[in-house]
Amino acid sequence: MSSASTRSAYTSFSPGRIWTMATHTVTQLIRMRILVFMGIISMVIVIAAFAFPAVSPEQQLKLLKDWTFGALQVFFVIIAIAATGLLIPRDLEDRTLYTTLSKPVPRYEYLIGKLLGVMLLLGSGLLLMDLVFSLMLYVKQSLIISSQIAALEKEQAATPENIAFIKDLNSRFGLTYSLHGAVWAIFLKASVVAAVSLLISCFASSTLFTILVGIAFVIAGQGQALLREWFLDKMSGFWQKFLSGAIAVFCPDLTLFDIAEPAIRGEIIPLGVLTEVTGIALLYIVGYTSVAYLFFVEKEL
Amino acid sequence: MKNKILGVLLLVAMGVAKVPLEDRVAATLKAADLRDAPIPLSLQEAMGQMAFTAALGGLRSLVASITYLRAYVAFEDRDWGRVDSLMTLTTRMQPREAMYWDEAAWHMAYNAATSTQQREDLRAAIRNKDFRDYVLRGLKIVQEGLVYNPNNPKLLVREAEIYRDRLKDPRPAAEAFLLAAKNGAKPFYERMGAYELVKLGEPPDLQQAYEILKRHYDKGFRYPSVLRDLDILERKLNIPVGQRVGQPLPPSPQPRRK
């Protein structure tokens, strides 16, 4: 192939190149033993499913959901911060970054590829965990229903009215579509955190700095509602207002993704709400990645 | 340097633009009843620094389940003061979770109250006072729960049971049972409400009880308690003999002497 035809085949934006970068990132992260985290979460789910036999049936289902969603949220946010924070320094250390950027790969493609890789890993991991969780919840729910019906039969109270009530109650506290919606919200939250970490790692001098600042962003993002209510509305000091305002401007409001609690409670999460939450997540991801690019384009390698 | 300045400007511009959008999403979540109020700062001391931070970090549900399990351990140790304070923390963290309010009220009005009645080291007057205090505490909990979860059938049933079993007050018990049945509790609780109305004995109450029990009878619920109360009501309301369906309970067999 002549150099002229190669030049004409080159495009400034190539989804293929981004995909290659993303899949390479997934392999890179799997080699960092990220899968161990998922093994731990699976264990938490299995233990939570059978660890609380003394409490009431609805509480047993609730505790299984509480512990699973707690574990998913903590582990996937940590994975998002740590994995993204490690990527650029690791590429610099391995010198992969130089070989990649010496080819005709624009820096924004490199960044998008890296972020997409992290998101792919988070998404597939959460999908897997959702499957394990759904299976355990379904098994637990079926066991509870059959044991309750057996108890009713023993008391000669297994009327169709009582059986229908038990089934209805347990299915409300059991596996619902809204729980998958809550898992999706955790994916969005982790992706936003990954985008913020990518931005930080573009100007940070060390991985530790990226991870610590990433955690600080998560804490500030979770406390946004409280900050706005307390400092912006009630406190009058200029610096307090300025600081709270700055946090509100720079940090994403991560509480918008906290819909696991109502889903656990058995409430229905409408599709419209999920769409809006997805929209704001996309805004964050695109915004923070664009800023990250502007920092990364001038980074001396 | 130019790009970095541009980056900072973009970050600020995005920050300013995102605030109204965030408010809009927050309003949608609130309208769909999917967003709880932020945790009160006053809880920080009671919860401890770590738990408070975790609860702030979107792990309210998990922290509440931990305090709930701690309350369960305290219940097994019959440490009622600790049960009350831990369940209060749990309900404060998840006020929209009716199950927690229900269980907190049950612990106080039933477990703690009964436990204090069994204490032989206390004088009878103190035992009775403690019993009533615990029952009223349970009632207060369930009524507070109903403020956060209006017309929740589970909580209404618990309130009715406390009035019926612990305070022996049929009027509010009947009202709560009937409201619970109207809001999705098992139809069985409507009959419970009718049984309480029978105890009141006033003509309008008796008429209402008769209508409920007759309706259940016609649907096929012909349990001994339904037939017994229908018999009482038919006689008190002077229902024509031809239309009567109630039956008095057969006398229970006397225990035989050896």
Side-chain angles (χ1 to χ4, degrees):
Chain A
M1 198 186 282
S2 70
S3 68
S5 65
T6 311
R7 261 199 304 276
S8 64
Y10 177 79
T11 51
S12 57
F13 183 80
S14 158
R17 278 199 301 265
I18 292 173
W19 182 251
T20 309
M21 208 81 70
T23 47
H24 170 258
T25 307
V26 173
T27 317
Q28 199 180 2
L29 290 172
I30 288 173
R31 282 189 193 138
M32 288 182 199
R33 296 171 195 249
I34 288 283
L35 290 177
V36 176
F37 276 96
M38 288 173 206
I40 294 170
I41 301 173
S42 304
M43 274 172 64
V44 170
I45 297 171
V46 175
I47 291 169
F50 298 101
F52 315 107
V55 295
S56 70
E58 298 116 84
Q59 286 288 9
Q60 287 181 43
L61 293 174
K62 187 182 180 301
L63 287 172
L64 168 59
K65 292 184 277 181
D66 280 345
W67 285 78
T68 303
F69 277 98
L72 285 180
Q73 199 151 192
V74 170
F75 282 112
F76 277 86
V77 167
I78 290 175
I79 291 174
I81 296 174
T84 321
L86 280 168
L87 282 177
I88 296 177
R90 182 60 68 95
D91 275 5
L92 276 166
E93 206 179 286
D94 298 348
R95 310 214 159 248
T96 331
L97 187 69
Y98 303 109
T99 46
T100 309
L101 294 182
S102 62
K103 293 186 176 73
V105 176
R107 288 192 181 198
Y108 57 81
E109 280 187 2
Y110 171 81
L111 279 185
I112 295 171
K114 286 285 159 193
L115 183 65
L116 194 66
V118 175
M119 283 171 69
L120 264 176
L121 185 87
L122 293 171
S124 47
L126 273 166
L127 188 68
L128 189 69
M129 292 298 103
D130 191 21
L131 284 173
V132 174
F133 162 66
S134 301
L135 181 73
M136 292 313 295
L137 188 61
Y138 184 73
V139 169
K140 181 86 185 169
Q141 183 185 340
S142 309
L143 283 174
I144 286 174
I145 290 176
S146 53
S147 74
Q148 282 183 324
I149 291 175
L152 281 177
E153 279 166 354
K154 209 173 167 186
E155 289 169 13
Q156 293 183 326
T159 58
E161 182 194 23
N162 286 344
I163 291 174
F165 184 81
I166 281 174
K167 283 186 177 167
D168 179 51
L169 185 75
N170 282 295
S171 50
R172 201 163 73 82
F173 286 102
L175 191 60
T176 57
Y177 139 82
S178 296
L179 290 172
H180 304 302
V183 174
W184 173 248
I186 292 178
F187 166 70
L188 295 175
K189 186 193 228 178
S191 301
V192 171
V193 171
V196 171
S197 295
L198 188 73
L199 164 62
I200 300 163
S201 71
C202 283
F203 60 81
S205 48
S206 72
T207 309
L208 187 67
F209 177 83
T210 307
I211 292 174
L212 289 179
V213 177
I215 292 170
F217 259 85
V218 170
I219 294 171
Q222 285 294 152
Q224 277 240 15
L226 206 64
L227 274 175
R228 283 194 208 179
E229 186 202 22
W230 188 251
F231 291 112
L232 287 179
D233 297 342
K234 292 181 184 163
M235 289 223 166
S236 55
F238 170 77
W239 288 109
Q240 282 152 337
K241 283 202 173 199
F242 176 76
L243 195 67
S244 311
I247 290 173
V249 164
F250 291 119
C251 291
D253 185 354
L254 295 177
T255 55
L256 299 176
F257 305 105
D258 289 342
I259 52 173
E261 215 169 292
I264 290 172
R265 212 160 43 221
E267 278 170 35
I268 295 163
I269 307 207
L271 205 60
V273 169
L274 280 179
T275 315
E276 272 196 43
V277 171
T278 308
I280 195 97
L282 275 174
L283 172 87
Y284 288 140
I285 293 168
V286 172
Y288 288 123
T289 313
S290 309
V291 178
Y293 166 70
L294 291 170
F295 278 94
F296 189 62
V297 80
E298 280 189 359
K299 193 176 172 91
E300 281 181 26
L301 303 168
Chain B
M1 198 61 200
K2 204 177 91 186
N3 280 317
K4 277 184 184 161
I5 294 168
L6 207 61
V8 173
L9 288 176
L10 180 64
L11 194 61
V12 173
M14 186 187 96
V16 173
K18 81 182 174 62
V19 172
L21 290 170
E22 282 169 346
D23 286 343
R24 198 194 129 152
V25 179
T28 310
L29 287 170
K30 213 169 179 179
D33 240 7
L34 300 173
R35 199 171 162 97
D36 290 334
I39 300 179
L41 286 174
S42 54
L43 277 189
Q44 185 177 2
E45 216 166 283
M47 285 166 70
Q49 207 74 28
M50 279 284 282
F52 187 73
T53 315
L56 271 184
L59 300 172
R60 260 163 98 145
S61 204
L62 183 65
V63 176
S65 77
I66 292 170
T67 53
Y68 166 77
L69 288 173
R70 286 173 64 198
Y72 195 83
V73 173
F75 156 63
E76 286 179 328
D77 297 340
R78 296 181 172 210
D79 185 348
W80 304 117
R82 203 164 156 68
V83 170
D84 193 13
S85 59
L86 285 168
M87 285 308 293
T88 303
L89 258 183
T90 312
T91 50
R92 287 290 176 283
M93 260 182 288
Q94 288 209 291
R96 304 271 311 283
E97 187 58 75
M99 256 191 292
Y100 286 144
W101 291 105
D102 178 51
E103 199 153 329
W106 172 69
H107 277 312
M108 289 297 109
Y110 285 80
N111 300 326
T114 305
S115 173
T116 202
Q117 260 189 335
Q118 290 165 349
R119 283 183 64 181
E120 286 175 2
D121 58 320
L122 294 177
R123 293 176 67 86
I126 309 263
R127 272 206 305 261
N128 290 340
K129 186 195 170 293
D130 284 356
F131 173 82
R132 201 173 160 76
D133 284 350
Y134 276 128
V135 171
L136 291 177
R137 172 76 188 127
L139 186 65
K140 195 180 164 199
I141 291 170
V142 80
Q143 285 173 341
E144 205 181 336
L146 279 163
V147 173
Y148 290 98
N149 305 275
N151 294 334
N152 183 284
K154 199 178 183 76
L155 296 181
L156 285 168
V157 167
R158 177 64 68 205
E159 187 189 24
E161 285 174 345
I162 293 174
Y163 276 122
R164 182 190 63 185
D165 304 331
R166 312 307 265 178
L167 297 169
K168 312 285 179 208
D169 193 348
R171 168 84 56 203
E175 283 168 2
F177 273 131
L178 295 178
L179 193 58
K182 211 188 265 181
N183 285 287
K186 276 195 254 186
F188 161 79
Y189 289 112
E190 195 182 22
R191 293 202 292 275
M192 293 287 127
Y195 299 151
E196 294 306 299
L197 289 173
V198 175
K199 287 180 199 167
L200 287 168
E202 297 292 326
D205 301 322
L206 295 177
Q207 185 61 42
Q208 192 185 356
Y210 176 73
E211 282 162 16
I212 293 168
L213 291 179
K214 185 70 182 22
R215 187 160 28 84
H216 281 255
Y217 175 87
D218 291 340
K219 279 186 191 166
F221 298 108
R222 293 169 187 192
Y223 302 123
S225 52
V226 175
L227 297 175
R228 175 203 63 201
D229 277 18
L230 274 175
D231 178 57
I232 297 167
L233 292 165
E234 283 162 349
R235 278 188 282 113
K236 285 193 175 171
L237 293 169
N238 296 319
I239 304 292
V241 180
Q243 291 174 25
R244 289 187 185 184
V245 291
Q247 290 163 18
L249 280 181
S252 49
Q254 293 293 316
R256 280 188 193 166
R257 276 189 185 173
K258 278 189 182 173

